Amino acid sequence: MASFKKSFENLKGTSHTAVKGAADTAVQAAQETVQQVAESSKEAANTAAQEAGRQAQETIEKAADKAANTIKEFGRRVDGK
């Protein structure tokens, strides 16, 4: 009976160690997944910010061109009068 109890205790210890190892592995995998998602989100946000900046620059350039053309046209009208 004592050897059965000892075997049972050993099995219990081995099971505990195996479960802990599996849990640790699952936690590590979850942490890695979270890190990957965070990096992907960071890259997507960076790409979106770059695109927004590019579009803003285009809009500014178009507005500046329109303003320059309006000023030139105004100057022509003033000179013509």
Side-chain angles (χ1 to χ4, degrees), residues 6-77:
K6 186 175 182 180
S7 294
F8 180 75
E9 290 299 321
N10 286 340
L11 178 61
K12 187 172 142 184
T14 302
S15 296
H16 178 74
T17 301
V19 168
K20 185 178 181 330
D24 290 347
T25 300
V27 167
Q28 183 178 1
Q31 288 173 336
E32 289 172 3
T33 300
V34 167
Q35 182 65 30
Q36 288 173 352
V37 169
E39 288 174 12
S40 294
S41 295
K42 183 178 172 183
E43 289 173 17
N46 189 25
T47 300
Q50 287 176 350
E51 178 62 19
R54 186 189 66 73
Q55 290 179 6
Q57 184 63 37
E58 281 182 13
T59 301
I60 291 167
E61 288 172 2
K62 287 178 184 177
D65 288 344
K66 275 188 168 184
N69 290 338
T70 300
I71 292 168
K72 286 177 189 176
E73 182 62 31
F74 180 75
R76 283 190 210 119
R77 288 183 184 176

